[in-house]
Amino acid sequence: MTVHFPFQNTYSALPDNFFARVAPTPVASPRLVKLNRPLAIHLGLDPDRLSSPEGTEILAGKRIPDGADPIAMAYAGHQFGHFVPQLGDGRAILLGEVIDADGVRRDIQLKGSGPTPFSRRGDGRAALGPVLREYIVSEAMAALGIPTTRSLAAVVTGESVMRETLLPGAVLTRVASSHIRVGTFQYFAARSDAEGVRRLADHVIARHYPQAAGADRPYHALLEGVVARQAELVARWLLVGFIHGVMNTDNTSISGETIDYGPCAFMDQYDPATVFSSIDEQGRYAYANQPRIALWNLTRFAECLLPLLSDDQEKAIAEAQAALGEFAGKFDTAYQAGLRSKLGLFGARDGDDALAQDLLDAMAKNQADFTLTFRRLSDAALDPALDVSVRQLFADPAAYDEWAVRWRQRTGDEPQDPAARRDAMQSVNPAFIPRNHRVEAAIEAAVNRDDFAPFEGLLTVLSKPYEDQPAFASYADPPEPDQRVFQTFCGT
């Protein structure tokens, strides 16, 4: 059964210093763990053929499909604020690009497929746990409606990888609008390769920001476009309680997608200072710091573009500052609009921002669960008797009671009926998120017992996050004290 990928290879048509040509390293005995059949169909691929032994070998890197031009992409990056001039795909290989059903060009990349010239003494492999984590969380983000890379398949390799101990090896097939990062631009800028920056910028404009090509200042328009997408993206992270964990510039996608799910997590109790990543000892990438870090990363991107903005450095800096200056307003607009929607407010009025912030402050002070508070508030919008289910989430229920009086006064000023308000709120306040303890339980079962039932069950629930799903009600529950996850790990 021949597996056909209608590959195109525009990135590997760029100059040779943009990447290294390298084939995946064959593995012993690959076994398909999960194929994302709806995504395969959307990409124009045959899921039955992908599930075949030949398809599994392709997804594991054991067989190279016709039309592929395997490459490891070069990039640099600031990691926790420290610049590393050469990083690159150390354990990922881009097979090629396909055009999906929406006409969008999508990369197909194997992650964990063996060493590359950028591996920096690493083995180029991935352990099963991080592969399952990325599969679960990236697909949950897609179901939540947040721009993200996707997971097409997870395969176990039949080989072990050594981390702290021997672990089962695996390969993730990742799909992205592209894998171009802020760090990709930094790679060329650090080498004073102005032509490389220009070629990359032209490629990005053609691929992601075609409207910029017709602008009076195309590279300024590119910068504005990337700023706008990142502002919107990070606002949407905050609105669902998501913490990326490693917002390095090499993990900041130029396309505006969430990329590289390492020590990521969703908050249980609301606390803006929450950090999960075991390597983020200073809290640089804490939940509430993410907008500030996004702007910092965008500033590094703007620095790379300066030679393209103007030959006059002062003028180039002024242009960059003008574009970067739009970030705060775009983020605030997206974030505050999102909060109003979460509160069931159909219009914007003075005092709405303070109303939302007062609830968040009360949640933080009273250890209220972020996701459950907003979901139960959706039900309370229909029936005030259901306030009891919200107030019991607060250490001091009176804190909610005081706020709820003002909220009901505000919603009472609008003409929408309670059922319409409840429905609108449920469409933006998920019932289900990838609770950390559930993710860890799925990983533990798969790694230690070769049991993928918890993984499959979690994926089923998370595919419909805004539906109540009474049969899976327990998946909405926060962790018991002995189930709480305080740290997540990168898994590289």
Side-chain angles (χ1 to χ4, degrees):
M1 182 180 287
T2 301
V3 181
H4 176 63
F5 284 81
F7 277 131
Q8 299 180 14
N9 302 287
T10 63
Y11 200 85
S12 63
L14 292 168
D16 288 347
N17 59 330
F18 278 63
F19 52 82
R21 280 196 164 82
V22 56
T25 303
V27 298
S29 51
R31 173 168 58 97
L32 183 64
V33 166
K34 181 67 177 178
L35 177 68
N36 191 334
R37 295 179 69 90
L39 179 57
I41 293 168
H42 190 72
L43 294 171
L45 306 175
D46 184 333
D48 292 328
R49 294 189 176 191
L50 276 179
S51 302
S52 71
E54 179 189 342
T56 300
E57 289 187 349
I58 289 171
L59 297 170
K62 190 173 183 177
R63 180 192 297 257
I64 298 175
D66 292 343
D69 189 5
I71 60 172
M73 296 170 64
Y75 51 85
H78 276 88
Q79 300 194 317
F80 290 90
H82 302 287
F83 185 63
V84 182
Q86 180 166 304
L87 293 168
D89 289 330
R91 59 186 183 123
I93 292 176
L94 175 63
L95 293 180
E97 306 148 13
V98 298
I99 308 299
D100 70 14
D102 296 326
V104 177
R105 183 178 299 276
R106 309 289 289 277
D107 283 358
I108 297 183
Q109 181 197 68
L110 302 181
K111 191 172 180 181
S113 51
T116 77
F118 305 112
S119 294
R120 297 185 296 163
R121 300 185 302 279
D123 62 9
R125 292 302 190 187
L128 178 58
V131 165
L132 297 184
R133 176 182 292 277
E134 178 153 354
Y135 196 114
I136 292 167
V137 182
S138 64
E139 287 307 297
M141 291 285 271
L144 287 165
I146 297 172
T148 179
T149 60
R150 300 290 302 276
S151 294
L152 177 60
V155 175
V156 290
T157 62
E159 300 174 354
S160 296
V161 297
M162 175 58 76
R163 296 300 181 255
E164 292 80 7
T165 183
L166 278 176
L167 296 167
V171 176
L172 178 81
T173 305
R174 182 163 69 183
V175 176
S177 293
S178 82
H179 286 84
I180 301 167
R181 311 145 188 271
V182 169
T184 318
F185 280 86
Q186 290 181 293
Y187 179 84
F188 296 101
R191 289 158 176 76
S192 300
D193 184 354
E195 182 58 24
V197 173
R198 184 182 301 276
R199 288 290 296 268
L200 182 61
D202 289 343
H203 179 85
V204 168
I205 287 172
R207 183 161 181 174
H208 295 302
Y209 299 90
Q211 71 282 359
D216 292 338
R217 296 175 293 167
Y219 302 117
H220 182 86
L222 169 62
L223 177 57
E224 286 184 324
V226 176
V227 166
R229 288 193 192 178
Q230 284 292 325
E232 171 78 17
L233 177 65
V234 176
R236 295 175 80 166
W237 288 356
L238 267 59
L239 291 166
V240 294
F242 176 74
I243 303 166
H244 184 283
V246 193
M247 284 181 69
N248 296 328
T249 58
D250 55 292
N251 294 337
T252 302
S253 167
I254 293 297
S255 71
E257 291 179 325
T258 314
I259 192 170
D260 286 324
Y261 292 93
C264 59
F266 284 73
M267 281 194 300
D268 294 311
Q269 294 179 357
Y270 176 70
D271 179 354
T274 300
V275 175
F276 282 102
S277 172
S278 63
I279 54 178
D280 191 5
E281 296 177 355
Q282 305 302 315
R284 176 181 175 87
Y285 300 142
Y287 169 83
N289 282 349
Q290 292 179 123
R292 180 178 63 83
I293 291 297
L295 179 56
W296 193 93
N297 291 347
L298 289 165
T299 304
R300 307 288 78 76
F301 175 55
E303 290 168 352
C304 298
L305 295 184
L306 288 177
L308 305 184
L309 297 179
S310 176
D311 293 333
D312 181 333
Q313 187 171 23
E314 287 190 9
K315 185 177 179 182
I317 291 173
E319 277 200 35
Q321 289 175 333
L324 293 167
E326 296 178 3
F327 177 88
K330 291 184 181 300
F331 169 80
D332 286 341
T333 296
Y335 180 62
Q336 296 300 338
L339 284 177
R340 285 195 300 274
S341 294
K342 290 178 79 69
L343 295 182
L345 305 181
F346 288 86
R349 296 192 180 181
D350 290 343
D352 287 351
D353 295 358
L355 182 68
Q357 189 59 52
D358 287 348
L359 174 61
L360 292 171
D361 290 345
M363 290 164 61
K365 186 176 180 180
N366 289 275
Q367 299 87 51
D369 185 88
F370 183 84
T371 302
L372 280 183
T373 297
F374 284 103
R375 184 66 179 190
R376 292 183 181 180
L377 194 66
S378 307
D379 293 327
L382 178 65
D383 182 358
L386 295 176
D387 273 351
V388 65
S389 68
V390 190
R391 68 193 305 273
Q392 68 186 19
L393 297 171
F394 288 69
D396 176 10
Y400 169 74
D401 295 338
E402 183 278 329
W403 179 85
V405 170
R406 293 187 288 134
W407 173 58
R408 286 212 155 78
Q409 289 174 341
R410 172 65 182 87
T411 57
D413 292 337
E414 295 184 334
Q416 286 78 13
D417 64 68
R421 177 163 285 106
R422 187 269 317 271
D423 292 348
M425 292 175 71
Q426 286 192 342
S427 73
V428 296
N429 290 321
F432 301 99
I433 57 168
R435 296 274 183 185
N436 305 313
H437 66 296
R438 289 282 185 179
V439 175
E440 293 298 333
I443 290 172
E444 189 274 334
V447 171
N448 295 334
R449 301 191 298 280
D450 198 37
D451 176 7
F452 291 91
F455 169 70
E456 290 282 0
L458 190 54
L459 289 177
T460 297
V461 174
L462 295 174
S463 69
K464 299 177 180 178
Y466 297 106
E467 297 182 16
D468 279 328
Q469 303 185 68
F472 299 105
S474 63
Y475 282 79
D477 294 341
E480 297 295 333
D482 64 332
Q483 295 176 314
R484 292 192 64 189
V485 174
F486 295 99
Q487 282 195 326
T488 51
F489 299 87
C490 213
T492 53

